[in-house]
Amino acid sequence: MTPTPDPAAPAPAPSGYAPFAHLTAPNSALYRRTMRAFLSAKERFAVHLRPEDVQAALVAGGFPAEPEAVGKALDSLVEWGNLRADPDTARVTAVEDFYRKRYVYQLTQAGEAAEEALAAYDEALGRRGALQAVALHDIVTHLRALLVLAAEEEPDPAKTYLALDALSSRFAALADNARAFMGSLQRTIDLHDVEEEVFLAYKDRLIQYLERFIQDLITLGGRIAQLILELEDGDAIVPLLRGAAAREAADAAPEDVEHAEREAYARWAGRWDGLAAWFLTRNGRESQARLLRGRALGAIPQLLAVVRALNERRAGRSDRSADFRALARWFAEAPDDDARHRLWRTAFGLYPARHLTVDAETLAGRAARPVSAGTPWADAEPLRISPQLRRTGSYERRGKPRRVQDRSEARRYLAELAAKQAAETAAARARLATDGVTRLSALGELDPLAFGLFLQLLGDALATWRPGMTRTSATSNDGSMEIRLTALGDGTTAEITTPGGTFRGPDHTVEIIDLTERAAGR
């Protein structure tokens, strides 16, 4: 049990990173909510909180907790150094109350620092960033101001410092936001921590946003590069950087002024080199702006591919991830391990291999003395390998060769089966082919083969559908059929009857063409 702090003893000093111990302790959610209650109280200028105040704050935040649990959490946070416990003498009305354990709690410096660090950590994780086209305009403005200052005989140190500081801050924000945005964009493309419904809802705005930023980056990036080259022409930027460094080092001790000025100039020169490398290609290295433009351009087809995959998945088209999820569900629903083994062998075809050649003698021996697939090799009966096989790598049985089997009957059966399937497919194509444009609802009743072919054609057409489209066309995988689909705005529903049920969906105008008949007619 956690010991109760002694009223006479000072609050224990945290050792090392003890104020972060509540993150990995059991009931960490309760500890985090408790600390947030103290931070909220501090914003209201409340210094101390009693246990009942903390419990009320937890209930108001949708996190109810028992008084005993709250008390233990407060004691643990005091032990870790996040909180400080002081005797509560404000409500003492009798001598007996002095002997009761009553405390008020407040944040310690270490606990407040830990919460600030956690807030910065959560903010950095949740940050999505943005491609700031406005920042590009601001950078152009600041560079033009530096050009004006560079043209002066004696640039004003204060104006120079402010202009360079504003340019550096704006550029740093642009680079940080671009890096965060591209990271979040890649997570969006991979659908990590992103709901499919949310992604589909804002995909159009995201693509438009990317296209607009790419256009601004192309036009303004060239202008920024030209301004950087003008400032570097004749080293016009060097006096400005030295002036900013001198002003920054003005507050240093007299004996450290020269050293501080050198360090400040090195920092400003590094910032300028970083800005130039972002917009100029030098020393065989592409500029970061060009790389960012390439990443943004490459993200657009990737986003469209994700949309296509989601549409195919919603339309019921099979993909590898859906197959593996279905297989995992079958494994979970299997009644026992034997059924799971059979499912594994059926799905992947990985059968145990315990022979090099199988003949009648081997099969008879296995039937007389069966060996399970789980028997280790060391415990199984050894295989007898012929010296001829070991020496030459081939094995020939002695005696007369086998008679040549007559496979004419099997070939005839396969030919009849192929002809029958070809005739059924041709009949299905003829049934689906429309004489011009018609409605889906006019297709009527379809037999299973024709309906299966229709679903394949419809799926191929819908896979090419894009937002805002009203008409599309597609060709079947074997090139034998073409479908042309046009959306209707009247809200009608099409029904196609099959022996297995009725297929319903929004009505469209459709034209299905049998390309094999057209080719034969030519």
Side-chain angles (χ1 to χ4, degrees), residues 85-107:
D86 297 318
D88 184 9
T89 58
R91 295 182 296 176
V92 174
T93 58
V95 176
E96 292 80 4
D97 291 339
F98 280 100
Y99 298 98
R100 296 177 181 175
K101 297 178 180 178
R102 298 177 181 272
Y103 297 97
V104 291
Y105 300 86
Q106 72 176 52
L107 281 171

Side-chain angles (χ1 to χ4, degrees), residues 115-169:
E115 290 304 310
E116 291 178 356
L118 292 174
Y121 178 78
D122 293 337
E123 181 181 359
L125 282 185
R127 180 182 182 188
R128 297 190 64 86
L131 298 177
Q132 300 171 315
V134 177
L136 296 173
H137 291 275
D138 294 342
I139 290 174
V140 171
T141 302
H142 294 315
L143 288 174
R144 285 176 175 171
L146 289 176
L147 273 176
V148 174
L149 290 171
E152 299 177 358
E153 293 184 1
E154 293 184 2
D156 185 274
K159 293 181 180 179
T160 301
Y161 178 82
L162 291 176
L164 283 172
D165 184 64
L167 174 63
S168 176
S169 300

